[in-house]
Amino acid sequence: DAKTTQPTSMDCAEGRAANLPCNHSTISGNEYVYWYRQIHSQGPQYIIHGLKNNETNEMASLIITEDRKSSTLILPHATLRDTAVYYCIVRRGSNYKLTFGKGTLLTVNP
Amino acid sequence: GAGVSQTPSNKVTEKGKYVELRCDPISGHTALYWYRQSLGQGPEFLIYFQGTGAADDSGLPNDRFFAVRPEGSVSTLKIQRTERGDSAVYLCASSPNPGSGGLTDTQYFGPGTRLTVL
């Protein structure tokens, strides 16, 4: 699976949009982009995933660039409860493993 | 519905002892995964079950680690002769339809078991 690069940490003001970037320049055509987050002392939580098109669900939006070499996770109205480590993972659909990096620690400030 | 549950939530043991960690997956999920997370790191894959069989155990660090899923539901991760380096959070996840790439391929994680080896 392709390797991903994320900033170590980011800050966001409560109520504002949080935009978390991820670079995956070696992604292959059959690899999906997954986002998980992990709130302190909890297990990872699935957020969203996509292949080529932008995706939106009740939690977030995923914007994938046309060349698929990078993506952005958008939390439209961040709350204090969104403070967590966010992991961007690239995975082939046929590959069952999730390979986690160190992720981005997002801190939402009041 | 009920999510993935893991017991115990915390386990403290002494070096050299044997421990068992239990995972109850979401009902109906055929795939079950174990991961290990050390402090400050992301989770690392240990083993994957499809039904009752271990389809991939390549992430198990050595032969002191073993996992079973005898009836295709509950799984137990067993660690023999524990060492201080085994201290970590052990995470379990399950998914309904692995390898599909779709939403049914999503892995749902439990809260983990924090193992401390003194």
Side-chain angles (χ1 to χ4, degrees), chain B:
Chain B
V4 177
S5 62
Q6 294 185 246
T7 54
S9 55
N10 282 282
K11 176 70 178 179
V12 180
T13 191
E14 294 179 342
K15 180 175 177 295
K17 299 289 189 183
Y18 168 82
V19 296
E20 289 189 351
L21 311 179
R22 177 187 167 109
C23 172
D24 279 88
I26 294 173
S27 178
H29 282 195
T30 60
L32 185 145
Y33 316 79
W34 284 97
Y35 292 80
R36 179 169 73 171
Q37 186 170 25
S38 300
L39 193 64
Q41 305 295 317
E44 293 179 306
F45 170 82
L46 295 178
I47 187 170
Y48 156 60
F49 285 90
Q50 178 59 264
T52 60
D56 183 352
D57 64 358
S58 62
L60 295 178
N62 52 59
D63 61 6
R64 295 186 297 104
F65 288 75
F66 189 71
V68 295
R69 194 186 186 201
E71 297 179 356
S73 179
V74 171
S75 176
T76 304
L77 179 65
K78 309 181 181 195
I79 310 173
Q80 298 177 323
R81 304 183 303 280
T82 53
E83 300 178 357
R84 292 195 180 88
D86 298 335
S87 296
V89 176
Y90 289 82
L91 294 160
C92 177
S94 69
S95 69
N97 187 16
S100 66
L103 196 57
T104 56
D105 194 10
T106 300
Q107 294 184 25
Y108 297 88
F109 284 80
T113 293
R114 180 175 299 278
L115 175 66
T116 303
V117 182
L118 301 177

